[in-house]
């Protein structure tokens, strides 16, 4: 049974990688998409492609660091489609480096996007989900949210935070009887633009080699998102770890 058809799903970080692949996957299943990211040209191209094939997609330039942007994205969903069923908090940064490199600007950027961006999305959608006593919050963490890696301490910290935030949200929602489900996804080497933003040269080289060796298409994660969204209302699958069969992550 298709539980995705006609669901209104918001996706952040929707202009590339996992977010883009998920938009296409859910559109094929009949979902109505609300896409947010910082690059308007890419968002427009994705929305145009979905709409051109008979789907339904709208977009808004969104910086998840700004709470007002997340609120506006939720409002766009309500204005365009009359409801919100799910939000996929997928925007993220991974400019890794050793602590000794003191790339403090990158530390702060990761905290702002990877943690505060998730919290801003939750804050924006929660009043609607609580009022309707249903909703699904999905978020992209990382295998770095399950274990620690040298050279990735801050990134790991932000992704561990996502794990804790999402699990607490699930438990609180169950206790309150608001029926809000959560799904946290922990990808290993999956095709994305994450590696492109690593400025530390030694770290960049090692990650590029890792991803070139192992990475699997972003569509693999999109399929997991679709699987989570396709569960009946009484069933919550809260965590998914996904990566290449050949990668010893």
């Amino acid at each position: 049974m298709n539980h995705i058809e006609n669901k209104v799903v918001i996706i952040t970080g929707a202009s590339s990688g996992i977010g883009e692949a998920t938009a296409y996957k859910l559109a094929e299943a009949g979902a109505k998409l609300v896409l947010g990211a910082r690059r308007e040209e890419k968002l427009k191209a994705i929305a145009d492609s979905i709409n051109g094939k008979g789907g339904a997609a709208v977009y808004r330039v969104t910086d998840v660091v700004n709470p007002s942007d997340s609120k506006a994205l939720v409002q766009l969903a309500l204005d365009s489609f009359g409801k919100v069923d799910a939000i996929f908090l997928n925007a993220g940064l991974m400019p890794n480096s050793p602590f000794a490199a003191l790339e403090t600007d990158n530390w702060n950027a990761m905290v702002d996007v990877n943690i505060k961006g998730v919290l801003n999305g939750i804050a924006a959608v929660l009043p609607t989900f609580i009022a309707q006593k249903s909703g699904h919050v999905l978020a992209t963490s990382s295998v770095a949210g399950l274990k620690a890696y040298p050279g990735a301490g801050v990134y790991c910290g932000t992704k561990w935070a996502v794990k804790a935030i999402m699990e607490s949200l699930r438990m609180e929602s169950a206790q309150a009887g608001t029926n809000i489900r959560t799904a946290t996804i922990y990808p290993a080497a999956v095709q994305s633009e994450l590696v492109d933003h690593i400025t530390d040269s030694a770290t960049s080289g090692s990650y590029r080699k890792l991803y070139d060796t192992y990475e699997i298409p972003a569509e693999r994660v999109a399929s997991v998102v679709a699987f989570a969204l396709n569960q009946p209302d009484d069933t919550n699958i809260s965590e998914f770890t996904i990566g290449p069969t050949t990668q010893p992550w």
Side-chain angles (χ1 to χ4, degrees):
M1 188 171 182
N2 184 1
H3 296 287
I4 297 175
E5 191 171 10
N6 291 320
K7 278 188 174 178
V8 176
V9 183
I10 299 169
I11 302 175
T12 67
S15 62
S16 65
I18 292 169
E20 178 182 8
T22 301
Y24 287 128
K25 174 69 71 174
L26 298 182
E28 289 173 6
K32 299 172 182 177
L33 284 307
V34 181
L35 310 177
R38 291 179 294 179
R39 294 174 293 184
E40 182 168 14
E41 186 177 320
K42 293 206 167 193
L43 285 175
K44 184 179 186 304
I46 296 165
D48 286 349
S49 177
I50 291 171
N51 291 323
K53 294 175 182 176
V58 295
Y59 69 89
R60 185 185 189 280
V61 174
T62 303
D63 186 344
V64 297
V65 174
N66 299 324
S68 59
D69 279 15
S70 292
K71 289 179 182 177
L73 197 61
V74 172
Q75 192 60 50
L76 175 63
L78 294 171
D79 292 343
S80 300
F81 301 119
K83 62 172 184 169
V84 184
D85 296 295
I87 187 167
F88 181 26
L89 303 170
N90 172 67
L93 294 176
M94 192 185 72
N96 285 343
S97 63
F99 281 109
L102 293 175
E103 291 192 359
T104 53
D105 285 347
N106 281 334
W107 298 358
N108 286 316
M110 282 188 276
V111 169
D112 286 344
V113 174
N114 298 355
I115 301 178
K116 293 181 182 178
V118 168
L119 291 173
N120 289 339
I122 291 171
V125 82
L126 209 54
T128 298
F129 283 178
I130 290 172
Q132 67 193 23
K133 288 200 170 183
S134 68
H136 209 151
V137 181
L138 305 94
T140 303
S141 178
S142 167
V143 290
L146 299 171
K147 56 182 82 174
Y149 297 94
V154 176
Y155 182 72
C156 290
T158 64
K159 293 302 188 177
W160 280 64
V162 171
K163 174 181 172 65
I165 289 164
M166 292 289 286
E167 180 64 358
S168 293
L169 176 61
R170 182 194 66 77
M171 296 171 76
E172 288 181 12
S173 300
Q175 289 175 338
T178 49
N179 307 310
I180 299 167
R181 296 182 286 171
T182 69
T184 310
I185 301 168
Y186 305 94
V190 171
Q191 177 271 321
S192 74
E193 296 181 356
L194 287 177
V195 178
D196 299 341
H197 301 290
I198 298 175
T199 54
D200 182 77
S201 57
T203 305
S204 176
S206 63
Y207 270 85
R208 188 69 272 164
K209 182 178 179 181
L210 174 76
Y211 275 68
D212 287 347
T213 302
Y214 296 114
E215 74 176 12
I216 53 177
E219 288 78 10
R220 304 294 186 265
V221 180
S223 295
V224 171
V225 174
F227 180 80
L229 286 169
N230 200 37
Q231 298 307 304
D233 289 344
D234 63 358
T235 303
N236 186 102
I237 305 178
S238 59
E239 295 188 309
F240 298 88
T241 305
I242 176 172
T245 302
T246 57
Q247 183 189 358
W249 39 267

